[in-house]
Amino acid sequence: MCGLDALRGIAVFLMIEQHMGVWLWQGVAKGKALAAAWPLIAFNALGGGAAPMFITLAGVGTALLVRARPHGVDAVLVRRGAVLLALGYLLSAMTPSWFSWGSWFVLHLMGFAMLTSPLWRRISDAGLVGVAMAIAIGAVAMQAWIDTPMALNNDMMRSTSRPGGALRLAVAESQFPILPWLAPFLLGMVAGRAIAAGAFARIAWLGVCAALIGGLGWLISQWLGFAGPSFAGRAFVVHLGFFPASIAIVGLLAGVSLLVVAAVSWRDAGRPISERSPMVVLGRASLTLLLLHVPLFRELTRPLGLWHKMSAVATLGMIAAFLLFALGACSMWQRVGYRGGAEWLLRKLGG
C-alpha cells in the first residue's frame, strides 16, 4: 500500500526539516521582528505533526500485519517491538546531547506499543477507542499526581534524578511517554482494520471525533477560564511544543493524522500511488533516515560550528540540500530493497 508509505515519507520529511530548522537556525537577530523569518517558522511549525503521524501509522501497520499473518503473528509483533525499542535506545546512545539512557522518544513508544500488541489486537474496535480515551484521561491524572510541570524542557525530559527515574520518563514525562501517546497508536489500529475492510469513512469519522474532542475541549476550557495545574487546566491546555501533551493536543494531532490516513487510503484504493513516488521512496527508508539525521545534525554540527549559527535562508537551503540528497540516495537504494538499512534489519530480526 504505497499511500501509507507516502505518509511515512511526508512524516520523516517534516521531522527532518523541523529538527534541522531548530538546530541550525541562529534565531531572530536582535532588533528584528519574528516576521522577518516567517517562511522558516511556518515551515518548521508543520513538523509538529510528524511524530503523531508516525505513531498513528505504526498502529495502522500493526493492524494490517495481523490481518495478513493470522498464524504466529504474536511472536512477530513481540520481536519487532523489541527491535524497535532497541533501536530507540541506540538513538539515545548516539545523541547524548539530547537524550539520556532513560529518555523515551518516538521509537521507544512505537516499540513498546508493538511489543504489547498481542494484547491490543484481541480487543474490539470499540474497546480500543475506549482504552485510548482512558489512556488520554489517565495521562492527565498521572501528570497531576506526580506534579508534572505545565511545560517540560529538555533537561526535565531526560533527567532520571526525580522520583521514579527512567520509569517516570517512560510513563509520563519524556518526549513521547506511554501516557498519553499510546492512544494514537490504538486509534491507528482501528484505522488499519477499517482500511482492510475498505471502510475509509469510518476512519474519517474517528478523526473528526478525536479533533472535536481536542478542539471543543480547548474552546470550552478557554471560555470557562480553566488554567494552571488543575485537572481541567492540564486536560485542555494547548501550548507550543506540546510537552507534556494534553487531551486537547493529542485529540487534535491524532484527529488530523486519521483524516489524512482516511483521505490517502481512499485515494490509493482507486488510483494507487507509484512506488517510484518521491514520498514513497523516502517513506520506505523513514526509519533509517530518522536514525541517521538526528545524530548527524544534532551532534556533528556542534564541532563544525553550525549549531544555531545559520541564517533562515541558509538553513532552508541546507534542509533542501539534505532532503534532495536523501531522495537521490534512497531512489538508488530502492533498487536493492533498501538492503542493510534499519527497515531491512527490522524484517530480518523481527520476522
Side-chain angles (χ1 to χ4, degrees):
M1 300 182 68
C2 291
L4 298 179
D5 286 328
L7 287 180
R8 290 188 182 91
I10 293 171
V12 78
F13 169 84
L14 292 175
M15 181 174 283
I16 289 172
E17 62 86 4
Q18 185 193 49
H19 287 162
M20 291 180 67
V22 171
W23 298 337
L24 297 179
W25 183 38
Q26 64 188 1
V28 178
K30 189 175 182 180
K32 290 192 175 182
L34 193 64
W38 71 264
L40 178 61
I41 294 169
F43 192 36
N44 195 258
L46 294 173
M53 179 62 78
F54 269 130
I55 295 167
T56 304
L57 288 172
V60 172
T62 297
L64 292 173
L65 177 63
V66 168
R67 291 298 178 95
R69 299 185 59 167
H71 303 293
V73 72
D74 286 344
V76 173
L77 291 171
V78 170
R79 286 161 58 189
R80 287 197 176 195
V83 173
L84 274 177
L85 196 56
L87 290 175
Y89 284 111
L90 173 64
L91 181 63
S92 296
M94 292 191 298
T95 322
S97 68
W98 195 10
F99 303 124
S100 71
W101 71 270
S103 294
W104 197 261
F105 196 55
V106 65
L107 285 181
H108 303 78
L109 185 277
M110 291 193 301
F112 172 84
M114 191 171 289
L115 198 150
T116 55
S117 289
L119 169 62
W120 313 125
R121 80 177 188 89
R122 288 171 167 81
I123 299 176
S124 68
D125 287 357
L128 287 175
V129 172
V131 173
M133 293 176 65
I135 286 171
I137 295 170
V140 179
M142 176 64 72
Q143 292 165 15
W145 181 42
I146 63 177
D147 197 23
T148 298
M150 291 297 290
L152 290 169
N153 60 34
N154 193 62
D155 288 338
M156 295 175 184
M157 291 188 288
R158 57 175 282 153
S159 174
T160 57
S161 62
R162 302 186 72 190
L167 181 62
R168 181 189 187 113
L169 297 179
V171 172
E173 284 190 353
S174 202
Q175 280 88 350
F176 293 97
I178 298 166
L179 302 176
W181 289 107
L182 182 59
F185 178 88
L186 299 180
L187 296 179
M189 288 191 68
V190 177
R193 293 172 180 177
I195 290 172
F200 307 117
R202 193 186 308 165
I203 308 171
W205 277 114
L206 184 62
V208 168
C209 290
L212 282 175
I213 289 172
L216 290 177
W218 175 75
L219 287 173
I220 292 171
S221 71
Q222 294 295 300
W223 178 48
L224 296 178
F226 294 138
S230 66
F231 186 90
R234 288 180 180 275
F236 296 107
V237 65
V238 175
H239 49 76
L240 190 64
F242 60 78
F243 304 126
S246 64
I247 294 174
I249 288 170
V250 173
L252 287 168
L253 292 174
V256 171
S257 296
L258 288 166
L259 286 168
V260 173
V261 167
V264 171
S265 300
W266 171 77
R267 192 261 188 202
D268 204 31
R271 290 181 294 162
I273 299 172
S274 169
E275 66 176 12
R276 303 300 296 174
S277 167
M279 288 300 106
V280 173
V281 170
L282 290 179
R284 291 184 173 177
S286 57
L287 182 56
T288 302
L289 290 171
L290 171 58
L291 290 167
L292 174 66
H293 89 274
V294 172
L296 179 64
F297 290 102
R298 177 84 193 190
E299 300 300 324
L300 295 186
T301 51
R302 296 168 186 267
L304 292 176
L306 298 176
W307 181 259
H308 290 169
K309 296 296 184 181
M310 301 180 69
S311 68
V313 173
T315 300
L316 285 170
M318 181 70 84
I319 292 170
F322 178 74
L323 287 169
L324 286 173
F325 166 77
L327 180 58
C330 290
S331 294
M332 292 186 288
W333 198 18
Q334 187 185 50
R335 299 170 188 172
V336 293
Y338 303 96
R339 190 175 302 144
E343 290 80 5
W344 175 86
L345 182 68
L346 182 62
R347 291 192 297 272
K348 288 293 182 181
L349 298 180

